[in-house]
Amino acid sequence: MKYLPLVWAALWRRKPRTILTMLSVVVAFLLYGLLTAVNAAFNTGVELSGADRLVTTGKYSITQVLPYGYWQQVKNMDGVEQVTFASWFGGYYQEEFNFFPQFPVDPQSYFDVYSELTIDEDQLRAFVTTRTGAVVSKTLADRYGWSLGDRIPITAGIWPLADGSNSWEFDLVGIFDTRDPAARSQHEYMLMQHEYFDEARQFGQGTVGWFISQIRDPEQAGQIAQAIDAQFANSPNETRSDTEKAFNQSFLKQMGDIGLIIQSILGAVFFTLLFLTGNTMMQSVRERIGELAVLKTIGFSGGSLLMIVLAEALLLTLMAALIGLGLAAFLLPGLAENMPGFSGLALDLEAWITALLLALLLALIVGLPPALRAQRLSIVDALSEHA
Amino acid sequence: MNKERFGEIDVAETLVRLEGVAKSYRRGNQDIAVLDALNLNIERGDFLALMGPSGSGKSTLLNLVGGLDKPTRGSITVGDARLDQMSGGQLARWRAHHVGFVFQFYNLLGVLSAEKNVEVPLLLTKLSKAQRRKHVATALDVVGLADRARHKPSELSGGQAQRVAIARALVGDPDLLVCDEPTGDLDRSTADEILNLLQVLNRDHGKTIVMVTHDPKAAEAARQTLHLDKGKLVEAQGVAA
Ligand SMILES: Nc1ncnc2c1ncn2[C@@H]1O[C@H](COP(=O)(O)OP(=O)(O)OP(=O)(O)O)[C@@H](O)[C@H]1O
Ligand SMILES: [Mg+2]
């Protein structure tokens, strides 16, 4: 475009104003990038959940424990292929902010049901046979620099040892990963032997947190879930079964509707931005009505003036949006490293495209009114007012 | 210069022809007649000064001749173009190729250097970047400002800025230059330099010039002077070139 130098020069007519406006657009898109990535990370849990898995928890809360004995009963249900279980350990490593989930599980069945996990045969065998054994995700091992044979101290938050101490120790015997790297943030935790946990803890013997059943036919999920819950109805420990997807969704909901919160924040930010950039563009055009009239005098058509002003708005928002998104993309890996459960944190193509469309929309909204004004400008009026 | 445009018709020497031109502005629900039943022929190669009291319609007339505005009535022919029958877009395209404008306050683009300002009209042509640069250099040379090409308007004196504006008006090589009080903002000696330049453009480069001025000494630089009073033309007394 031949007019680009014209547009470029006009953009920097008042440098401080343009820079301040651009900064606010940069910050808005930085925020957009970060929040979108966080939102996406939350949602991958829902998207990646197995369609053929049911989660059975206490009827009223996932913190209600269930009898270990249910395991066999669920395994015996029609349509259920295999079943495993887990409990919430709720401890931390060294410092409280080193938080990541730990689950006491039945090693063999856990890795059978979660077939998306990969672990070396020998390491799995070691996990099955080592009482104080533990396995961690590769992401955690990388973050804390653990290797096989390390003794990992975990301070209990819920379950003290029989002697009242909170200082548990586990021997790292294996490191697992996911087949699909995108699923890594969903499996960022430590697993230990339920058997050892159950014996060593001070109270709560004979209970587990929840069951995970793999079913033969995902189409039957609803019926099987009902059958499981019916089985335990009217017992002291009623259950609630759901697909893993629904379970993950309701888990997210308990934290509040992340998507809605993020959308509200971004909505407010962009609404403010409309006024800010809109005002800048309006002012910029108002100040050079005379110059625009000269361009028209020289022979520029109304249409080209419209395009020139729109291009100016577009240049402003697109450049700022790209800088903001670039910053977000640059910052996300560092954030991911410090936030367990978010190791996949990144901007996907969709987020980039959406953001650039947003920048385009912003440019149109704030650029169109002054652009139309430039287009309709009457030379004679503008020149006589200017003189 | 494009003589054959006029062909066999015997208007070879007439570049601008106004016939029965009226112009009125609407203010509120009242029509204010500025020009009325005005006839005017300007010959190719003429240098015409337009004088008259403030509000007599000089700028209005100039804007009509330059195709910036359209008459309420009457016909305006410049070369072979009927300006009064053109749409806004057609007028814009016509202006880009046939007329150069010089204003009292230079009206340069403050963010662009002198040479970039002069280049602006060429952005509307099909010329390549190198060709544009050559034309710009020539125009700046004609106005004697080749050594100020990289300066911003704020770094130029009034006379220099007006020279840049004249270079910009010239760069597309139009037949017609319209100037609205080109020396109105300049001191005597700078004004004289600008008038000299306009004379050179008229005499040596064959430009037809229509210039509005309040300054009798400026009018002396022209080949003839017309007086406008209350929208009517009055032949000047005792002004000859
Ligand atoms: N765009 C417009 N809308 C309404 N009235 C206008 C407009 N332009 C000019 N006029 C009126 O037309 C009349 C002539 O104006 P014009 O600018 O042509 O005068 P002028 O001879 O150039 O005066 P000056 O010497 O002060 O520049 C004035 O009364 C002016 O108020
Ligand atoms: Mg005037």
Side-chain angles (χ1 to χ4, degrees):
Chain A
M1 187 178 169
K2 263 191 305 193
Y3 303 158
L4 197 64
L6 273 184
V7 175
W8 185 254
L11 185 61
W12 299 106
R13 200 162 177 281
R14 295 240 187 284
K15 271 206 190 83
R17 182 177 65 200
T18 305
I19 288 172
L20 278 178
T21 309
M22 275 186 76
L23 270 181
S24 56
V25 182
V26 166
V27 170
F29 277 90
L30 171 62
L31 209 59
Y32 170 89
L34 297 180
L35 291 180
T36 305
V38 168
N39 192 27
F42 274 116
N43 285 327
T44 47
V46 175
E47 281 158 22
L48 291 176
S49 32
D52 62 346
R53 282 197 294 254
L54 296 179
V55 177
T56 301
T57 65
K59 184 170 183 183
Y60 301 105
S61 153
I62 59 167
T63 59
Q64 276 181 290
V65 290
L66 297 173
Y68 176 82
Y70 282 11
W71 191 22
Q72 195 53 52
Q73 295 190 54
V74 178
K75 274 199 254 189
N76 290 341
M77 307 277 314
D78 276 345
V80 172
E81 199 100 302
Q82 41 190 350
V83 184
T84 191
F85 61 84
S87 303
W88 182 255
F89 189 82
Y92 58 87
Y93 168 64
Q94 286 180 339
E95 304 287 345
E96 265 177 83
F97 61 76
N98 280 333
F99 167 82
F100 52 82
Q102 307 96 25
F103 302 126
V105 298
D106 171 60
Q108 187 61 55
S109 65
Y110 190 88
F111 279 94
D112 287 344
V113 169
Y114 284 101
S115 52
E116 64 264 48
L117 299 179
T118 58
I119 186 168
D120 186 273
E121 288 270 339
D122 294 338
Q123 294 181 11
L124 180 54
R125 206 165 309 124
F127 186 28
V128 173
T129 54
T130 312
R131 259 170 63 81
T132 57
V135 296
V136 298
S137 63
K138 187 174 178 312
T139 51
L140 283 178
D142 289 347
R143 177 174 306 140
Y144 297 115
W146 292 328
S147 46
L148 296 186
D150 283 358
R151 181 145 260 251
I152 301 173
I154 298 289
T155 308
I158 303 170
W159 308 106
L161 287 155
D163 64 4
S165 145
N166 280 325
S167 308
W168 292 73
E169 284 194 335
F170 299 96
D171 295 301
L172 188 61
V173 296
I175 293 172
F176 62 87
D177 200 356
T178 55
R179 276 177 226 288
D180 175 5
R184 276 192 182 132
S185 62
Q186 296 312 303
H187 296 282
E188 191 160 28
Y189 45 69
M190 175 187 246
L191 299 174
M192 44 272 232
Q193 272 205 6
H194 171 79
E195 214 178 309
Y196 167 60
F197 164 71
D198 201 44
E199 278 170 29
R201 62 177 159 173
Q202 195 180 47
F203 54 85
Q205 270 75 14
T207 63
V208 302
W210 59 89
F211 295 96
I212 307 104
S213 322
Q214 196 199 323
I215 56 176
R216 210 162 295 143
D217 178 7
E219 303 265 311
Q220 307 267 297
Q223 285 136 275
I224 298 173
Q226 271 178 3
I228 294 174
D229 295 343
Q231 171 94 5
F232 304 118
N234 306 317
S235 81
N237 298 95
E238 293 190 74
T239 60
R240 179 196 159 120
S241 303
D242 235 326
T243 59
E244 188 171 75
K245 185 168 196 147
F247 176 75
N248 285 344
Q249 267 164 348
S250 69
F251 186 74
L252 268 186
K253 277 231 180 67
Q254 292 197 343
M255 296 201 280
D257 192 333
I258 307 286
L260 187 71
I261 293 170
I262 289 180
Q263 272 170 26
S264 317
I265 296 176
L266 288 176
V269 167
F270 278 89
F271 194 67
T272 317
L273 208 57
L274 276 185
F275 287 98
L276 241 149
T277 18
N279 187 49
T280 297
M281 283 305 300
M282 267 302 191
Q283 235 172 305
S284 159
V285 165
R286 198 179 309 128
E287 281 168 7
R288 61 201 158 95
I289 284 293
E291 296 193 352
L292 292 167
V294 168
L295 289 180
K296 232 174 182 176
T297 303
I298 285 172
F300 282 71
S301 64
S304 15
L305 289 194
L306 179 99
M307 293 315 289
I308 283 174
V309 174
L310 268 187
E312 190 181 327
L314 202 61
L315 211 57
L316 178 95
T317 58
L318 271 185
M319 277 198 311
L322 282 174
I323 294 173
L325 290 172
L327 267 177
F330 175 77
L331 290 176
L332 281 171
L335 279 177
E337 218 161 274
N338 292 304
M339 288 165 64
F342 286 95
S343 38
L345 220 51
L347 281 177
D348 55 9
L349 187 66
E350 196 191 319
W352 279 92
I353 292 174
T354 311
L356 293 180
L357 285 178
L358 206 60
L360 197 75
L361 189 70
L362 185 66
L364 278 181
I365 295 176
V366 302
L368 210 51
L372 285 172
R373 184 172 171 184
Q375 183 193 26
R376 299 205 195 103
L377 184 74
S378 145
I379 303 174
V380 177
D381 289 349
L383 285 180
S384 59
E385 272 164 37
H386 200 63
Chain B
M1 229 61 6
N2 209 343
K3 285 244 160 60
E4 59 278 354
R5 268 210 314 243
F6 297 88
E8 57 275 34
I9 316 164
D10 187 27
V11 290
E13 59 282 293
T14 302
L15 180 62
V16 181
R17 181 191 296 272
L18 279 75
E19 280 175 301
V21 166
K23 177 74 188 175
S24 54
Y25 289 112
R26 226 185 150 68
R27 205 173 272 161
N29 45 14
Q30 206 179 333
D31 276 333
I32 299 172
V34 179
L35 301 176
D36 191 28
L38 193 130
N39 298 309
L40 173 65
N41 282 348
I42 302 171
E43 285 177 11
R44 183 179 289 281
D46 200 354
F47 184 170
L48 174 69
L50 263 179
M51 297 192 73
S54 191
S56 56
K58 304 182 297 295
S59 297
T60 303
L61 176 56
L62 203 65
N63 290 341
L64 291 175
V65 170
L68 290 179
D69 207 355
K70 292 210 285 186
T72 315
R73 246 176 297 116
S75 72
I76 301 178
T77 314
V78 179
D80 53 4
R82 273 292 293 272
L83 302 193
D84 55 292
Q85 292 176 343
M86 288 184 173
S87 69
Q90 287 172 320
L91 273 179
R93 236 164 294 136
W94 177 82
R95 287 196 302 272
H97 294 104
H98 298 282
V99 62
F101 295 88
V102 180
F103 303 99
Q104 177 174 3
F105 298 108
Y106 333 128
N107 287 353
L108 299 174
L109 304 187
V111 286
L112 299 181
S113 66
E115 61 182 357
K116 291 285 175 207
N117 262 289
V118 176
E119 189 187 0
V120 168
L122 299 183
L123 295 178
L124 294 169
T125 66
K126 290 198 172 72
L127 295 179
S128 71
K129 201 168 176 154
Q131 287 170 313
R132 295 204 300 266
R133 200 167 296 154
K134 220 178 92 206
H135 282 75
V136 168
T138 308
L140 280 172
D141 211 32
V142 168
V143 301
L145 265 190
D147 57 333
R148 293 285 191 279
R150 297 276 154 84
H151 289 232
K152 290 269 174 69
S154 57
E155 301 158 0
L156 298 173
S157 71
Q160 289 170 336
Q162 194 60 300
R163 284 167 188 272
V164 174
I166 292 173
R168 180 178 65 187
L170 279 180
V171 74
D173 195 23
D175 299 339
L176 181 64
L177 290 184
V178 301
C179 314
D180 200 344
E181 303 189 34
T183 59
D185 199 41
L186 302 174
D187 62 46
R188 183 74 262 154
S189 68
T190 313
D192 288 341
E193 284 170 32
I194 294 296
L195 292 166
N196 273 334
L197 176 58
L198 290 178
Q199 281 180 317
V200 169
L201 294 176
N202 174 245
R203 195 176 345 105
D204 302 347
H205 297 262
K207 303 295 175 201
T208 306
I209 301 178
V210 186
M211 172 178 77
V212 164
T213 183
H214 279 291
D215 176 9
K217 288 206 61 184
E220 279 172 27
R223 291 181 194 266
Q224 62 163 323
T225 302
L226 290 178
H227 284 260
L228 203 58
D229 195 11
K230 298 201 185 83
K232 293 233 183 313
L233 278 174
V234 209
E235 201 76 33
Q237 320 87 350
V239 180

